[in-house]
Amino acid sequence: MSHPAARAPGKLPLVVWVLAAGTFLMGTTEFVIAGILPDIAPDLGVGVSHAGLLITAFAVGMIVGGPAMALATLRLPQRLTLVLALAVFAAGHVVAALSSSFTVVLAARFVTALATGAFWAVGFVIATTAAGPAHATRAVSVMMGGLTLANVIGVPAGSLAGHVTGWRGLFWTLAALATLAAAVIGRFVPRTEQRARVSVRDEFRALRQGRLWLALASAVLIMGGVLAVYTYITPLLTDRAGIPRGAVPLVLIAFGAGALGGTAIGGRFGDRRPMATTIPAAAATTLILLALIPLSTTPLAAIALIFLMALAGFTINPVVTALAVRFADGAPTLTSALTTSAYNTGIAAGSALAGQALASSLGVTGPALVGAVFAGLTLLPLSALAFAAKRGATRVVTHGAPGTPVPAARTTSETTSART
């Protein structure tokens, strides 16, 4: 893999953008299903609520299967793992498009999620390694930007295509695009052997670090907070803000634009000031969600707050992802997969609790309150990470003799932490 110094200063290597295109495709697949459930359900002979299991199956596949597939492919060359993941991804869509059985389509969705988890786990490692320590968070933000763009462009376009060509036609298109992506990644991802020194034991040993679990907890909580509101955004906009149902997709575009901007902000500043970027962002997200409760009665205020919620909330994601991979040191593959699982766990937990709040006396403002609690709790692990960073910086200053350089193994993580 090319060394960061071989390219122009400040520029990310091409492989990062190629991987971002892959995450765009896979993100479209994960979320587009919600828009075409009314088309899938009667075709497979089930109700819409039962067809919703197709979304659940994908989430479970990402939560459980991501780490499992990361370990299963640990000894494979990284490029081969990505190509195989896209091949399985394409095959899963072909099987679903050909089947008239809901059970088979459900199983295909689960297998597709396994492939997606493997792609994300290895892709994050390749992107951060190619970008180098100074630009690791920015590389993660570009990859996550592909997922955000999937919500802004891929999901609406996919839903429209599904309505025009039928959901099977959409699945055939996704399979074809995955095949094309496999060819492109096979061409542009450098040929490197997987690190032979890394074993399953090494990967599990990396999980002993408390800082790693603090970063993962931050990922769970902030995603749970934002998605608690996003999942039930339609009743909030229509029943409380008085926005016509036909205009809701425009608000979703505003949410996607905010998420894209937040991801870019986190990538730009998170490498140099990870804690100074994430802690204010978590506090801002909490305040915005609290403000959404009394101020969402007017369309303009509701749209503005939803945009700001996405902007602040998604600022945290690339930073905590890059921190988790950094804390894993030389065994980041399992950690990268667990980060993806953490986000999906937050989505599941936040949306489940928000659904209960919606059905309670809180009504349409219930999800915003649940989201505010999740976002507020994010400050706890982030503050603990900041405290650990200061302690680490203090130890470097205290134990380093005058004129003695900091050992190379500690330079990247601890000196970066010291700048927070």
Side-chain angles (χ1 to χ4, degrees), residues 278-299:
T278 53
I279 291 177
T285 305
T286 305
L287 294 176
I288 292 165
L289 288 171
L290 288 174
L292 192 61
I293 297 172
L295 300 180
S296 57
T297 54
T298 60

Side-chain angles (χ1 to χ4, degrees), residues 305-325:
L305 289 170
I306 287 168
F307 170 81
L308 292 173
M309 172 191 72
L311 184 72
F314 276 79
T315 296
I316 299 170
N317 295 347
V319 184
V320 295
T321 299
L323 286 176
V325 173

Side-chain angles (χ1 to χ4, degrees), residues 67 70-71 74-75 78 121-122 124-125 128-129 194-209 212 216 323-339:
L71 292 176
L74 189 61
R75 295 307 182 103
Q78 292 173 327
V122 176
F124 274 138
V125 175
T128 53
T129 302
Q194 185 71 304
R195 297 149 302 186
R197 65 182 178 83
V198 178
S199 64
V200 173
R201 181 177 297 179
D202 293 328
E203 294 286 343
F204 277 104
R205 187 178 295 117
L207 302 184
R208 297 177 181 175
Q209 292 203 53
L212 169 61
L216 292 176
L323 286 176
V325 173
R326 181 187 303 166
F327 294 153
D329 295 325
T333 306
L334 178 58
T335 297
S336 180
L338 286 174
T339 304

Side-chain angles (χ1 to χ4, degrees), residues 21 35 37 42 74 88 95 97 138 148 152 165 191 199 226-227 235 260 274 303 310 334 353 397 411 417:
L37 277 182
L74 189 61
V88 172
V95 170
R138 188 178 168 204
T148 305
V152 179
T165 66
R191 182 189 296 274
S199 64
V226 174
L227 267 293
L260 188 62
I303 294 171
L334 178 58
L353 291 175
V397 173
T411 301
S417 299

Side-chain angles (χ1 to χ4, degrees), residues 130-155:
H135 301 288
T137 304
R138 188 178 168 204
V140 170
S141 77
V142 169
M143 278 194 67
M144 299 188 78
L147 181 63
T148 305
L149 275 178
N151 283 288
V152 179
I153 300 174
V155 171

Side-chain angles (χ1 to χ4, degrees), residues 154-166:
V155 171
S159 297
L160 178 61
H163 294 314
V164 173
T165 66

